Amino acid sequence: MTFTLPQLPYDKAALEPHISAQTLEFHHGKHHNAYVTKANELVKGTPLEGLPLEKALIEAHKQGGAAFNNIGQIYNHNLFWKSMTPNGGGVAPAPLADKINEAFGSFDKFKEQFVAGGMGQFGSGWVWLVSDKGKLEIVKTANAETPLTEGKTPLLVCDVWEHAYYLDYQNRRADFLKVFIEKLANWTFAAEAYKA
Ligand code: MN
């Protein structure tokens, strides 16, 4: 198998009451798992077979199509699970917090812009905090697109596909985004990614 489904970094019920165990059961166990299964089928017998995930992603992006869509979704979901932690939220550790204040005006302004970014993604996609060679930006991507293919380093990502929030929040994407940034964001992970 070229790609595998990683275990969640926490128990399925660990993000309650913000994200239910049922949502994680479907989102990780069904949706993410389906991308892994499909991507493995699609790369079988192609030059992508056996490549590490990030390399396969970059190569698949040059062709586009179903292989990229499924590989991109594996990569994006892997980062999404790591972008959350029970008792997350709060502010980023220094020096990342200083960089955020510098880039967005204040930590509160950053949070507002992150939520606005997620709301501004029409249809399915993702909202990201990325580092572009040290410069912080909020970017949104559609479907399975990822800032990695633009040479940017993802620090934090929120899934805004409806399957990410519909069971818990129905159509209230803004509420989900606010909970993500206020209660779940894993700043330890983001700070490590920023250093790397
Ligand atoms: Mn998803």
Side-chain angles (χ1 to χ4, degrees):
M1 284 297 156
T2 301
F3 310 112
T4 53
L5 180 70
Q7 289 210 322
L8 285 174
Y10 29 72
D11 185 81
K12 271 201 285 285
L15 304 183
E16 291 188 343
H18 311 303
I19 295 181
S20 65
Q22 193 194 17
T23 288
L24 287 188
E25 179 92 41
F26 277 91
H27 198 175
H28 175 262
K30 304 285 184 197
H31 290 276
H32 192 177
N33 191 45
Y35 296 127
V36 172
T37 304
K38 191 71 191 169
N40 278 320
E41 279 170 30
L42 290 167
V43 303
K44 201 155 196 259
T46 77
L48 300 177
E49 189 173 10
L51 290 183
L53 178 62
E54 292 190 10
K55 195 146 200 276
L57 172 72
I58 303 282
E59 289 304 310
H61 191 254
K62 294 175 186 167
Q63 315 294 327
F68 170 73
N69 287 338
N70 285 279
I71 297 168
Q73 286 294 77
I74 299 171
Y75 175 81
N76 292 353
H77 283 93
N78 288 356
L79 287 179
F80 177 51
W81 309 132
K82 292 179 186 169
S83 292
M84 299 185 289
T85 187
N87 306 310
V91 293
L96 179 56
D98 303 324
K99 288 284 177 188
I100 287 174
N101 292 339
E102 196 180 295
F104 303 103
S106 70
F107 209 79
D108 282 343
K109 282 190 182 142
F110 155 73
K111 290 192 286 191
E112 279 167 26
Q113 287 176 47
F114 189 87
V115 170
M119 289 304 290
Q121 173 52 41
F122 184 79
S124 296
W126 303 82
V127 57
W128 310 75
L129 173 65
V130 302
S131 165
D132 185 8
K133 295 164 191 75
K135 185 178 170 289
L136 296 183
E137 295 173 356
I138 292 165
V139 298
K140 53 192 164 70
T141 60
N143 301 317
E145 291 292 335
T146 172
L148 188 72
T149 57
E150 311 294 315
K152 297 177 180 178
T153 307
L155 307 184
L156 205 67
V157 63
C158 185
D159 188 342
V160 297
W161 283 59
E162 279 188 350
H163 67 220
Y165 58 88
Y166 217 84
L167 290 174
D168 298 325
Y169 297 87
Q170 291 78 49
N171 61 323
R172 291 175 287 115
R173 184 190 285 190
D175 289 354
F176 169 65
L177 281 158
K178 282 177 201 156
V179 163
F180 173 88
I181 208 70
E182 295 286 349
K183 308 285 188 189
L184 296 171
N186 186 349
W187 288 112
T188 308
F189 173 72
E192 287 297 318
Y194 184 66
K195 269 194 283 185

